[in-house]
């Protein structure tokens, strides 16, 4: 008797899957459709896996660069400089969306100014400080009887006893007073207000509709996002918010590849003209209110009481606030189009990690550069770790102008101390011991401006001692502390490249970016035969 061939036997799996003899035509049709769909999905998965393998192979020589640092250190502004240098058309395509951010920055600044004025009773004389001010800035701080905390920055906080030597408590910095003017002092009958206070009250009334637009602008930009562990009142947007802002405004949620391709081919001039005529009803309405209110805004910004509160450090504004208020006549114009300088100064916090891809040319060879801009608030730092294992380089951004500021999410912690502690964690991380490290000591322009006003570093960082309070001494003092952190956590003897920067300065920053690019390629990518 002949043994049957293996291939002549029925496959048990096929037999098990064989349709029942009682299958109807409708059931057969449904079965065939399901099998066809299962086959399509299987083939799609196979194709995606093939493309992913090809992508990994292609990206093997790509550069992965992380921008790290605390919130408001200048990381996103530095990312814009990379974008401006290597992909300028993309910044032009986003220009219209930045109008919403700039309007929000102006409205939020006005809201902060008016709230601070109200806290001080719309006048300087209420607390024994003459309107012409003390002889020096130090006198104004030390003789101020009350110290309200505005936006997490204490008027006269307990100074940091030393840099990077925390003791008991939160990072070695003791609790600072958190008193506010009494309710009675903040609300005075109109009859008792001087002419300046009456004028401020009238300005507050006229600007109230514009200030009320803050909530709508926040909703438009953030979509209701709240980030745990971050400062109160912070506004965060997701990566890719620029396109979603325009899509939401215009009711367009889908764009074809053909439309995108055409957009990329447009000239800067046509993109600028397009940005000059946005179709967003909310932004149009806020722009109309700004245009009608610009004289009131200018009057408020130049008012002696506001200038006095700023000089006496009872009113503290971020650099972007002052920038847009100084240029309010231009920003509030009916034909306003955000300039590149405006976009660099515009402030909005991004939630999570945003990836930006650039093609960088070096010695005739194009290399893809993946730039990761990560959120710096304490509640977001956990999202950094997954990007550490395959990073080629890190640019750590530390704002040296922040010696008199405290974390918005923790008003007890000096921002310089926080930067140093964060830098220590980066330098000591085992995953990063071979990563090319670049340090940007940023906002040097603001540091110079603060020192020129007479602000003394030792008042906030006691370890500074009796050193000269000039710019060169101060900036080298901070640099020495960061270098010390690196030396103590440098097992592999890597070089730390340090740059003094003001990343809103396009010409200087792009020259530094070129130097950073060259150092990264020479040092860490030579082994990959990219140079």
């Amino acid at each position: 008797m002949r043994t049957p061939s293996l291939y002549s036997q029925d496959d048990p799996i096929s037999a098990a899957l064989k349709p029942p003899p009682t299958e109807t035509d409708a059931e057969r049709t449904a079965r065939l459709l399901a099998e066809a769909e299962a086959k399509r999905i299987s083939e799609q998965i196979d194709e995606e896996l093939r493309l992913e393998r090809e992508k990994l192979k292609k990206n093997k020589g790509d550069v992965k660069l992380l921008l790290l640092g605390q919130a408001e250190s200048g990381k996103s502004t530095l990312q814009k400089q990379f974008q401006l240098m290597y992909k300028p058309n993309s910044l032009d395509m986003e220009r219209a969306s930045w109008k919403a951010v700039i309007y929000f920055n102006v409205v939020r600044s006005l809201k902060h100014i008016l709230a601070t004025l109200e806290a001080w009773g719309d006048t300087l004389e209420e607390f024994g400080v003459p309107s012409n001010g003390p002889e020096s800035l130090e006198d104004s701080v030390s003789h101020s009887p009350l110290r309200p905390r505005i936006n997490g920055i204490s008027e006269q906080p307990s100074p940091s006893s030393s840099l990077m030597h925390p003791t008991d408590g939160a990072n070695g910095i003791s609790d600072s007073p958190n008193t506010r003017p009494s309710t009675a002092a903040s609300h005075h009958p109109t009859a008792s207000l001087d002419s300046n206070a009456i004028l401020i009250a009238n300005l507050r009334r006229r600007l109230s509709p514009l200030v009320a637009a803050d909530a709508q602008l926040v909703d438009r930009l953030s979509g209701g996002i709240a980030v745990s562990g971050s400062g109160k009142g912070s506004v965060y947007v997701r990566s890719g918010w620029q396109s979603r802002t325009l899509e939401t405004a215009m009711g367009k949620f889908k764009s074809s590849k053909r439309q995108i391709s055409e957009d990329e081919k447009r000239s800067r001039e046509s993109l600028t003209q397009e940005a000059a005529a946005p179709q967003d009803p909310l932004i149009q309405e806020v722009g109309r209110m700004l245009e009608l209110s610009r004289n009131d805004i200018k009057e408020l910004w130049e008012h002696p009481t506001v200038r006095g509160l700023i000089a006496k450090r009872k009113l503290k504004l971020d650099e972007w606030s002052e920038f847009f208020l100084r240029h309010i006549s231009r920003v509030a114009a009916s034909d306003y189009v955000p300039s590149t300088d405006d976009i660099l100064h515009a402030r909005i916090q991004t939630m999570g990690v945003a990836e930006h891809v650039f093609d960088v040319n070096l010695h005739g060879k194009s290399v893809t550069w993946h730039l990761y801009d990560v959120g710096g608030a304490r509640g977001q730092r956990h999202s950094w770790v997954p990007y550490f294992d395959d990073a080629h380089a890190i640019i750590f951004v530390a704002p040296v102008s922040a010696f008199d500021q405290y974390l918005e999410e923790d008003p007890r912690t000096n921002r310089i101390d926080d930067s140093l502690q964060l830098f220590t964690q980066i330098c000591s991380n085992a995953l990063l011991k071979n990563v090319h490290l670049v340090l940007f000591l940023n906002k040097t322009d603001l540091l110079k401006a603060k020192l020129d006003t007479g602000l003394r570093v030792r008042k906030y960082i006691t370890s500074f001692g009796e050193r000269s309070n000039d710019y060169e001494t101060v900036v080298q003092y901070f640099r020495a502390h960061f270098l010390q952190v690196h030396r103590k956590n440098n097992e592999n003897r890597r070089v730390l490249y340090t740059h003094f920067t003001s990343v809103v300065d396009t010409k200087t920053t792009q020259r530094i970016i070129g130097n950073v690019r060259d150092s990264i390629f020479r040092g860490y990518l030579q082994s990959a035969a990219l140079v």
Side-chain angles (χ1 to χ4, degrees):
M1 181 176 178
R2 190 179 65 172
T3 303
S5 168
L6 174 67
Y7 295 103
S8 67
Q9 298 180 32
D10 290 336
D11 181 2
I13 296 179
S14 298
L17 296 176
K18 194 172 182 179
T22 58
E23 181 181 50
T24 64
D25 290 342
E27 290 173 338
R28 181 175 180 276
T29 300
R31 176 176 57 80
L32 293 176
L33 287 174
E35 290 175 356
E37 177 63 13
K39 183 180 179 182
R40 185 192 67 79
I41 293 173
S42 177
E43 290 175 348
Q44 181 181 350
I45 292 172
D46 290 340
E47 178 65 13
E48 288 176 352
L49 290 173
R50 184 186 67 79
L51 292 174
E52 185 65 24
R53 284 193 297 270
E54 289 183 1
K55 182 180 177 182
L56 289 173
K57 185 178 179 180
K58 181 181 178 182
N59 292 347
K60 189 176 180 180
D62 290 1
V63 179
K64 295 180 180 178
L65 173 63
L66 305 183
L67 299 183
L68 303 182
Q70 64 185 204
E72 299 185 37
S73 60
K75 299 186 303 297
S76 294
T77 305
L78 180 58
Q79 172 267 309
K80 294 174 198 172
Q81 290 286 14
F82 272 94
Q83 192 175 354
L84 187 62
M85 189 169 181
Y86 294 115
K87 206 172 183 180
N89 287 342
S90 64
L91 198 65
D92 280 318
M93 293 177 69
E94 298 173 0
R95 198 171 295 274
S97 63
W98 283 102
K99 196 170 186 178
V101 177
I102 292 165
Y103 283 176
F104 165 70
N105 287 169
V106 172
V107 172
R108 180 57 62 94
S109 300
L110 292 174
K111 184 177 180 179
H112 175 48
I113 291 172
L114 292 171
T116 305
L117 284 168
E118 185 176 10
W120 291 105
D122 290 346
T123 181
L124 294 175
E125 286 80 4
E126 293 302 318
F127 304 105
V129 182
S131 59
N132 58 353
E135 292 183 1
S136 71
L137 181 60
E138 292 293 327
D139 291 338
S140 91
V141 175
S142 60
H143 291 107
S144 177
L146 292 172
R147 300 176 292 274
R149 182 176 288 127
I150 306 295
N151 279 353
I153 299 176
S154 167
E155 178 63 30
Q156 190 181 355
S158 299
S160 174
S161 58
S162 64
L163 289 177
M164 283 308 298
H165 294 288
T167 54
D168 293 340
N171 300 318
I173 300 174
S174 61
D175 292 347
S176 50
N178 191 20
T179 55
R180 295 189 61 86
S182 65
T183 304
S186 300
H187 298 86
H188 300 276
T190 304
S192 67
L193 291 174
D194 59 19
S195 58
N196 283 338
I198 293 173
L199 177 57
I200 290 173
N202 288 332
L203 289 172
R204 179 182 288 108
R205 176 179 53 80
R206 293 199 296 269
L207 291 172
S208 59
L210 178 61
V211 173
D214 174 76
Q216 292 176 284
L217 289 169
V218 168
D219 185 64
R220 170 60 50 81
L221 290 168
S222 71
I225 293 175
V227 180
S228 61
S230 302
K232 297 179 180 179
S234 296
V235 178
Y236 290 86
V237 295
R238 293 187 183 95
S239 175
W241 64 269
Q242 295 94 331
S243 59
R244 285 194 299 272
T245 298
L246 294 176
E247 289 169 355
T248 302
M250 301 177 188
K252 297 178 180 178
F253 294 91
K254 294 182 180 179
S255 298
S256 68
K257 292 182 179 180
R258 180 174 175 274
Q259 289 173 321
I260 295 174
S261 177
E262 289 174 355
D263 284 342
E264 291 176 346
K265 293 177 181 178
R266 292 177 183 171
S267 65
R268 290 190 183 188
E269 291 77 14
S270 63
L271 284 165
T272 301
Q273 291 171 2
E274 180 186 2
Q279 302 299 314
D280 186 341
L282 173 60
I283 302 308
Q284 284 183 322
E285 176 61 19
V286 174
R288 186 187 66 81
M289 288 192 289
L290 275 171
E291 185 180 14
L292 292 174
S293 304
R294 61 178 165 183
N295 289 334
D296 288 335
I297 297 171
K298 189 174 182 180
E299 187 174 2
L300 178 67
W301 174 240
E302 296 174 352
H303 195 280
T305 301
V306 173
R307 308 314 302 175
L309 287 173
I310 291 174
K312 296 173 177 61
R313 298 180 61 75
K314 293 180 176 66
L315 171 60
K316 295 184 181 181
L317 296 172
D318 296 297
E319 57 268 22
W320 49 263
S321 296
E322 297 198 15
F323 177 84
F324 290 119
L325 290 174
R326 285 198 306 268
H327 295 87
I328 192 61
S329 295
R330 177 174 59 82
V331 172
S334 59
D335 58 349
Y336 171 66
V337 177
S339 67
T340 299
D341 204 27
D342 292 341
I343 294 174
L344 290 174
H345 281 85
R347 173 64 181 155
I348 192 74
Q349 297 190 69
T350 304
M351 183 180 72
V353 180
E355 179 183 7
H356 304 269
V357 181
F358 309 105
D359 290 324
V360 180
N361 186 281
L362 188 71
H363 306 307
K365 184 176 182 63
S366 180
V367 179
T368 301
W369 201 327
H370 299 262
L371 184 68
Y372 297 94
D373 179 14
V374 302
R378 280 188 171 179
Q380 300 187 67
R381 294 175 186 175
H382 64 277
S383 64
W384 299 5
V385 179
Y387 295 84
F388 286 175
D389 57 352
D390 60 351
H392 292 102
I394 288 174
I395 296 180
F396 187 90
V397 187
V400 289
S401 65
F403 66 87
D404 64 327
Q405 295 175 288
Y406 294 76
L407 293 183
E408 188 174 355
E409 56 267 40
D410 182 6
R412 299 170 299 174
T413 303
N414 183 284
R415 287 188 60 189
I416 293 287
D417 274 331
D418 181 68
S419 266
L420 281 164
Q421 291 162 25
L422 194 53
F423 190 61
T424 302
Q425 294 171 23
I426 298 301
C427 292
S428 61
N429 191 295
L431 295 174
L432 302 175
K433 61 183 179 181
N434 294 318
V435 171
H436 192 80
L437 191 57
V438 181
L439 173 64
F440 275 25
L441 297 175
N442 192 36
K443 301 192 179 184
T444 55
D445 56 330
L446 299 179
L447 175 62
K448 290 177 183 176
K450 286 183 177 181
L451 297 177
D452 287 344
T453 64
L455 193 62
R456 304 193 68 81
V457 174
R458 68 180 181 185
K459 192 168 189 67
Y460 299 89
I461 300 176
T462 56
S463 63
F464 187 75
E466 297 302 321
R467 293 175 176 83
S468 175
N469 206 62
D470 62 276
Y471 167 77
E472 192 62 30
T473 302
V474 171
V475 80
Q476 291 298 337
Y477 171 78
F478 289 139
R479 178 177 182 268
H481 278 277
F482 280 96
L483 291 178
Q484 183 181 25
V485 166
H486 183 254
R487 279 196 302 270
K488 290 182 177 179
N489 300 276
N490 189 20
E491 297 177 3
N492 291 12
R493 297 184 179 181
R494 65 180 169 194
V495 177
L496 174 64
Y497 296 86
T498 306
H499 299 273
F500 299 113
T501 60
S502 170
V503 293
V504 293
D505 181 343
T506 298
K507 184 177 180 180
T508 303
T509 301
Q510 294 197 355
R511 175 179 56 78
I512 294 173
I513 287 174
N515 294 337
V516 169
R517 173 203 63 196
D518 293 345
S519 68
I520 290 173
F521 278 111
R522 282 196 307 268
Y524 280 81
L525 303 181
Q526 197 166 14
S527 60
L530 293 178
V531 179

